[in-house]
Amino acid sequence: MEEKSEIIYKAGNENESRVIIEDDDEIKTISKTTRVLSIYNKLLNGKRVNKSEEANNFGVNERTIQRDIDDIRKYLEYEYGNDGLVDEINYDYIDKGFYLEKIHKSKLSNSEILAICKILLDSRAFTHKEIKRLIDNIVSCCTIKSEEKIVKRLISNEQYHYIELQHKSEFLDTLWQAGKAINEMKYIEINYTRLKDKKEVKRVLKPAAIMFSEFYFYLAAFIDDEKTRKNFEVLDDKFPTIYRIDRIKRLKVLDKKFTMLYKDRFEEGEFRKRIQFMYGGKLQRIKFKYYGYSIEAVLDRLPTARILSEEDGVYTISAEVFGKGIEGWIRGQGENVEVLGNT
């Protein structure tokens, strides 16, 4: 029978931990495991952990105990609970010891979750099935369990009376495919049902951005095919074409990648300021007088709008917009808007 050897594990101070073990590698594993579990057990039982005392107890230095506490902290972060309870190790400067504190936390506050759910319901962008799945996942994953019923109760009536859009299409997978293609700068091929004549057309596109506006998600993409582009209103238009994602019947991500020089890079944020109505057409600058009561509503609707002058509550405004959608908005304002020029 092979004899076990006696190993003395020195820790850098006068105290020593004497262990009988078979090999040199295992002693460190057992010693650290015992130490960490002992410290964690004290914390769970509401006791204060003093680094100096623990260093003396285990025959190690204080830096080793600090590393043990840091390891426990990492474990607690990894084991963040779904019930919203978070165990945190804090330090008491009066008692000079570490202690465990249970704190109610969630990735989103209840008010934030409620706001997001309300926006989703008001958007009407999804089918009954999709909106139920989205809201259930958001509430169950982000809400403290004890308050989950309150959040659900606050949105239950609106969810019950939710009216989905007429297209009744589920398009989340298509949305994600388009997003990945944008990220990887890959061409896509789509089958798209046009709105004006209900004809299905095939397009090979360079996808540029995904946007949402008034019930619908849109894909902004560039067409390389000159044969297709020759029927466009602006042949050399530097702006992308807009496609409603729910009207994309098939989307295939191609292996072919495209490149774009930095100077030609599509600025989604700048484009978004100018295309408030998701209609095709050229970039134009419009000047008009506004006689209504809420200038804030106009400035919110048209992010590029600038007030040129104001006299007796009548504002002269200039705005840069993309496409023909602005025409419908102007008609909807009635006598409150007088167009002065369009270039």
Side-chain angles (χ1 to χ4, degrees):
M1 181 176 175
E2 186 179 344
E3 276 191 351
K4 292 183 178 180
S5 58
E6 181 179 301
I7 298 174
I8 296 178
Y9 179 57
K10 294 183 180 292
N13 59 23
E14 295 181 356
N15 294 310
E16 297 174 347
S17 178
R18 189 178 295 273
V19 181
I20 304 299
I21 202 69
E22 288 188 353
D23 60 74
D24 292 343
D25 293 331
E26 195 177 352
I27 183 170
K28 294 181 181 179
T29 302
I30 292 178
S31 177
K32 180 177 177 63
T33 301
T34 303
R35 228 176 31 241
V36 171
L37 288 175
S38 176
I39 293 170
Y40 187 37
N41 188 57
K42 286 182 179 178
L43 291 168
L44 286 175
N45 284 288
K47 296 179 181 179
R48 294 292 196 266
V49 172
N50 180 278
K51 280 198 296 187
S52 177
E53 291 178 3
E54 297 304 320
N56 288 332
N57 289 340
F58 290 103
V60 295
N61 57 46
E62 292 186 20
R63 290 193 303 275
T64 300
I65 299 299
Q66 182 62 59
R67 284 194 292 270
D68 293 341
I69 292 171
D70 290 340
D71 286 341
I72 296 172
R73 279 194 173 118
K74 290 176 184 177
Y75 168 75
L76 293 175
E77 290 176 4
Y78 177 77
E79 289 294 317
Y80 170 74
N82 289 328
D83 59 357
L85 278 174
V86 181
D87 290 336
E88 282 193 357
I89 298 177
N90 295 315
Y91 187 75
D92 188 329
Y93 287 93
I94 297 176
D95 291 341
K96 299 188 183 303
F98 293 92
Y99 66 96
L100 195 68
E101 182 178 7
K102 291 186 180 292
I103 302 172
H104 279 283
K105 283 187 178 179
S106 62
K107 293 180 181 178
L108 294 171
S109 68
N110 288 338
S111 57
E112 290 168 336
I113 294 166
L114 179 62
I116 290 170
C117 290
K118 287 286 186 179
I119 291 170
L120 283 172
L121 288 164
D122 192 54
S123 74
R124 294 181 57 204
F126 307 98
T127 63
H128 278 291
K129 182 180 176 182
E130 286 176 322
I131 197 70
K132 183 180 186 308
R133 184 169 65 247
L134 282 168
I135 289 180
D136 286 349
N137 285 340
I138 291 170
V139 173
S140 63
C141 292
C142 301
T143 311
I144 297 172
K145 296 299 180 184
S146 60
E147 299 182 17
E148 188 174 316
K149 288 183 178 180
I150 300 174
V151 176
K152 285 185 175 180
R153 193 179 302 121
L154 288 170
I155 61 175
S156 61
N157 186 264
E158 191 172 356
Q159 189 172 358
Y160 178 78
H161 292 286
Y162 179 80
I163 300 175
E164 63 185 8
L165 298 178
Q166 294 300 307
H167 64 72
K168 302 184 187 302
S169 300
E170 295 187 4
F171 53 84
L172 287 175
D173 289 341
T174 302
L175 194 73
W176 178 243
Q177 282 183 289
K180 287 179 65 178
I182 292 168
N183 182 61
E184 297 169 5
M185 298 184 73
K186 286 186 175 181
Y187 280 89
I188 61 172
E189 181 182 272
I190 66 169
N191 285 45
Y192 185 76
T193 303
R194 295 194 301 206
L195 187 61
K196 61 180 180 180
D197 57 10
K198 305 298 187 291
K199 181 180 178 182
E200 187 172 303
V201 295
K202 183 181 288 187
R203 297 282 185 263
V204 175
L205 309 168
K206 293 191 293 187
I210 293 172
M211 295 173 288
F212 178 81
S213 178
E214 295 179 336
F215 307 138
Y216 306 112
F217 282 92
Y218 295 88
L219 171 67
F222 294 94
I223 300 176
D224 279 343
D225 185 6
E226 292 295 333
K227 185 177 179 181
T228 301
R229 289 169 56 86
K230 71 179 182 179
N231 296 319
F232 284 14
E233 180 180 349
V234 186
L235 179 61
D236 297 322
D237 195 355
K238 65 179 180 178
F239 292 99
T241 305
I242 306 301
Y243 298 90
R244 231 174 71 185
I245 289 182
D246 62 276
R247 304 188 71 84
I248 297 176
K249 301 308 175 185
R250 184 186 68 88
L251 185 149
K252 180 181 179 182
V253 180
L254 305 179
D255 290 333
K256 183 182 176 184
K257 300 189 86 171
F258 60 86
T259 56
M260 192 174 292
L261 297 175
Y262 183 80
K263 67 182 181 65
D264 299 323
R265 184 165 58 91
F266 176 64
E267 296 288 348
E268 181 181 348
E270 290 301 313
F271 181 64
R272 189 68 180 84
K273 291 178 186 177
R274 292 162 175 79
I275 185 160
Q276 294 300 302
F277 307 98
M278 297 299 167
Y279 277 85
K282 62 182 181 179
L283 185 68
Q284 58 182 316
R285 185 177 295 279
I286 185 167
K287 184 178 178 183
F288 60 92
K289 284 184 179 291
Y290 179 70
Y291 298 89
Y293 295 103
S294 178
I295 186 63
E296 291 86 359
V298 176
L299 298 178
D300 289 340
R301 193 69 175 91
L302 305 172
T304 61
R306 293 186 301 111
I307 298 175
L308 302 179
S309 64
E310 185 269 330
E311 185 176 351
D312 297 328
V314 177
Y315 294 85
T316 301
I317 298 171
S318 172
E320 195 175 56
V321 294
F322 176 76
K324 298 179 179 180
I326 185 69
E327 297 172 6
W329 179 81
I330 290 172
R331 288 194 297 270
Q333 299 304 306
E335 297 180 351
N336 286 332
V337 169
E338 175 190 353
V339 178
L340 302 177
N342 191 340
T343 59

